């Protein structure tokens, strides 16, 4: 296995996924839940993110070409989805445990588009396109699994922070996470619009 390529893929994806930055959003979405449900949400989100990234790594470009979808469109869609979640966090609609469904939280927005977002998908597709031979593919696969394992460890043991923050701290963290999530969403949409403008300007 190519250790240099493994390191490049691992560091790139780890920076994009940003486990420490994911923690406040994860805690905001799962803070009101029991510890068991919160732990289940962590592994479900990581499992889904791993599946999505692997699918796009193997057949991403073929799938997008078949659907006639450009990468910026996927990016903008992720941004719109995150805005909906951010509004729920900012308005307090995500605070009621009776309204929370663990599997839904784990799948959207945690699994995708936060963990397996446009950035991680595009980076993985580029690494796969540049790979040459089974050695490179194995290095990329190992790096993806290592990143997802790191994310799971961070999310799995974030429960201790919940005990420290208490309900009041979780509520404050929820509002802050909503604001950060809204900013991430706006940036995704802005980048998608810029990519569309550049793409069509070059075509003209």
């Amino acid at each position: 296995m190519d250790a240099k390529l493994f390191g490049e893929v691992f560091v790139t994806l780890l920076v994009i996924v940003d486990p420490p930055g994911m923690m406040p959003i994860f805690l905001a979405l799962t803070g009101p839940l029991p510890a068991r449900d919160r732990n289940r949400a962590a592994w479900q989100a990581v499992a889904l993110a791993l599946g999505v990234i692997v699918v796009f790594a193997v057949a991403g470009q073929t799938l997008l070409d078949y659907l006639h979808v450009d990468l910026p469109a996927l990016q903008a869609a992720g941004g719109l989805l995150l805005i909906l979640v951010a509004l729920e966090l900012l308005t307090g609609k995500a605070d009621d445990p009776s309204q929370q469904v663990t599997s839904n939280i784990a799948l959207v927005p945690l699994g995708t588009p936060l963990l397996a977002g446009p950035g991680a998908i595009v980076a993985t597709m580029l690494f796969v396109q540049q790979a040459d031979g089974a050695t490179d593919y194995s290095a990329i696969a190992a790096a993806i699994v290592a990143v997802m394992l790191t994310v799971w460890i961070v999310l799995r043991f974030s429960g201790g922070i919940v005990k420290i923050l208490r309900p009041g701290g979780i509520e404050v963290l929820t509002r802050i996470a909503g604001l950060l999530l809204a900013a991430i969403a706006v940036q995704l949409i802005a980048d998608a619009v810029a990519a569309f403008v550049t793409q069509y300007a070059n075509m003209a």
Side-chain angles (χ1 to χ4, degrees), residues 84-100 174-175:
L84 294 177
V85 178
L87 289 175
E88 286 192 356
L89 292 176
L90 289 170
T91 57
K93 291 182 179 179
D95 293 343
D96 184 2
S98 64
Q99 300 297 320
Q100 300 277 18
T174 299
R175 303 297 179 265

Side-chain angles (χ1 to χ4, degrees), residues 30-149:
T30 63
L33 297 174
R36 181 178 177 181
D37 288 344
R38 187 166 55 250
N39 294 338
R40 188 170 64 196
W43 75 257
Q44 285 179 338
V46 170
L48 175 68
L50 178 61
V52 170
I53 289 177
V54 168
V55 167
F56 274 94
V58 174
Q61 195 59 56
T62 303
L63 180 62
L64 292 180
D65 290 343
Y66 177 76
L67 296 174
H68 303 291
V69 173
D70 293 327
L71 284 173
L74 188 67
Q75 193 169 354
L80 291 173
L81 187 59
L82 288 184
I83 282 181
L84 294 177
V85 178
L87 289 175
E88 286 192 356
L89 292 176
L90 289 170
T91 57
K93 291 182 179 179
D95 293 343
D96 184 2
S98 64
Q99 300 297 320
Q100 300 277 18
V101 180
T102 307
S103 60
N104 287 352
I105 294 171
L107 302 181
V108 178
L110 290 177
T112 182
L114 285 176
L115 291 178
I121 289 172
V122 172
T124 304
M125 288 172 60
L126 289 176
F127 277 120
V128 170
Q129 289 173 6
Q130 296 167 3
D132 182 21
T135 302
D136 287 355
Y137 289 129
S138 62
I140 293 171
I144 293 172
V145 172
V147 168
M148 290 297 116
L149 183 60

Side-chain angles (χ1 to χ4, degrees), residues 7 9 31 65 70 86 88 90 134 178 183 185 187 195 198 200 203:
V9 178
D65 290 343
D70 293 327
E88 286 192 356
L90 289 170
Q187 187 64 56
T198 303
Y200 287 109
M203 289 174 61

